[in-house]
Structure formats: structure tokens, C-alpha cells
Amino acid sequence: MTVRYVESSKLPTSWGIFDMHGFEDTETSKEHVVLSMGQIDNGEPVLARIHSECLTGDALFSLRCDCGAQLQSAMHRIAMEGRGVIFYLRQEGRGIGLMNKIKAYRLQDKGADTVEANEQLGFGADMRDYSILQPMLEHMNIHEIRLMTNNPRKVKALQELGINVVERVAHESGRNPHNAKYLETKKGKLGHLLEDQDDGES
């Protein structure tokens, strides 16, 4: 595996002080970050979020998706528990990259859903590779996680890597009128375990 640990530092946030750990994939030159809080290497299952980079949602406050809200919710939940970890993976646009994501957004502006837009550009619905997590988890000495996700494919991918997901923690937040179709597509075509709109957030 080409992912190597670089360095760690403190990261003060609105939710508390996290430790930030830098990793580099020497094959792709992509840099990934792990945020941790509390003692995560004591053998107890760790509350975890595996979050793929979303510049538009995480940093530009886009309402087209629920990514930024999910990231903030994960940081809040970990701070409340006092222990947990977030793997921030540089896999923009489900792995297709930022420029292709903008092209996909343009197709969505014309009526395509998020899956159709990716496929019209010649990509699969989800191009992310979670194998890069293995060296990160090994470095952090994490063997069991309680995964904050609504995506059963993510759970399956981790289990196939030999990562013990002892619990799936429902993680729904950020629903708004601009992302209603996006969320329904994630539920209907990608199998995400989301509540119906009338049921509210969980």
C-alpha cells in the first residue's frame, strides 16, 4: 500500500480540540487527513465517520448535498462522546474529481439525477476506493468501529477489507429543498438507508 503517515498536530474547532493526522498516498499524490479525539487505541470500538471530500458542501456551504451537514454532525457527535475519529478522504465527487463533479452538476441542472449525471460522463455511480483506509487504521491502531453512515455499501466495503464494523450508526442530517431529489436518488438507486422526508431527520 502506498499510503504513508506524515505528521500530527492539534486542531482546535468549534466542537473541541481534535488531533489531526496527515497521510499521503505516494502513488496518487493525494493527501488525506484523520481527525481523532480521545483515546482511540484502547481496543474498544471507536465511533467513526469515513467522509469523502466535498469542497462544495464542506467549505462552500452548498445545499445541493448533505455532505457539509454530515461532517459537522460527525464532529459534534464525537465531541459529545469525547472519543472518535473522522477519516477525511480526498475522493471528491464520489471519486470523479472536482472538475467532473462540476460537469455532473451541469447535467443535474438540466434534469439528470446524481447517478445519471455520473454515468453520462462515463463514470460509475460511485468510484471511491476504501482500500486506502487499511494503512490509516493500522497506524491508528483501530480494529473495531461504530460507523456513522447511511450507506450499506460503505459498511460492506469495509468488512471486505477485514475491518470489523460492530455497529452502523444512522447519520442523517442536512435535508433541505435543494437536495431532496439528491437524497431520494441516494436512497432509491444507491441503497442509502434514509428516512422518508415526512419522517424528518434521524
Side-chain angles (χ1 to χ4, degrees):
M1 181 56 65
T2 58
V3 177
R4 68 178 186 91
Y5 167 72
V6 179
E7 189 55 276
S8 299
S9 69
K10 297 293 183 184
L11 183 72
T13 75
S14 299
W15 298 274
I17 298 176
F18 287 81
D19 290 307
M20 180 170 62
H21 315 273
F23 292 83
E24 181 186 14
D25 186 334
T26 56
E27 189 174 282
T28 64
S29 296
K30 287 188 177 181
E31 298 164 329
H32 308 281
V33 167
V34 179
L35 300 181
S36 68
M37 181 178 284
Q39 186 178 2
I40 59 173
D41 59 355
N42 61 2
E44 293 293 319
V46 179
L47 182 64
R49 168 75 181 162
I50 295 163
H51 190 89
S52 296
E53 177 183 34
C54 176
L55 176 71
T56 48
D58 298 341
L60 301 179
F61 317 110
S62 170
L63 297 177
R64 294 184 76 131
C65 61
D66 55 347
C67 304
Q70 286 190 325
L71 178 60
Q72 293 184 44
S73 177
M75 296 177 75
H76 174 72
R77 291 171 86 157
I78 287 171
M80 292 295 291
E81 194 156 307
R83 178 175 179 268
V85 63
I86 297 172
F87 296 86
Y88 194 89
L89 306 181
R90 308 295 296 278
Q91 301 195 115
E92 180 75 55
R94 294 202 198 101
I96 68 173
L98 181 59
M99 295 301 106
N100 284 319
K101 178 180 178 177
I102 295 173
K103 292 177 183 178
Y105 273 180
R106 178 59 176 164
L107 292 172
Q108 291 173 40
D109 290 342
K110 296 179 179 180
D113 65 36
T114 180
V115 171
E116 292 166 345
N118 273 28
E119 291 175 344
Q120 286 177 32
L121 291 172
F123 299 107
D126 193 334
M127 304 291 289
R128 288 175 290 185
D129 174 16
Y130 295 110
S131 64
I132 57 177
L133 285 166
Q134 279 187 313
M136 298 184 200
L137 286 158
E138 288 173 7
H139 178 84
M140 308 295 291
N141 199 25
I142 296 173
H143 305 288
E144 295 185 324
I145 62 175
R146 297 164 48 224
L147 187 62
M148 290 183 277
T149 187
N150 305 312
N151 186 353
R153 294 186 184 189
K154 190 178 288 186
V155 175
K156 184 173 183 289
L158 296 182
Q159 290 172 336
E160 289 175 349
L161 291 170
I163 300 166
N164 188 10
V165 181
V166 300
E167 180 187 0
R168 183 192 72 84
V169 180
H171 193 63
E172 187 171 351
S173 61
R175 184 185 291 272
N176 69 77
H178 298 282
N179 66 20
K181 181 181 178 182
Y182 165 84
L183 292 174
E184 289 310 306
T185 300
K186 289 212 298 188
K187 180 178 180 179
K189 292 190 175 182
L190 298 175
H192 287 222
L193 303 173
L194 299 171
E195 297 294 328
D196 291 330
Q197 186 169 3
D198 293 339
D199 294 338
E201 297 173 0
S202 62

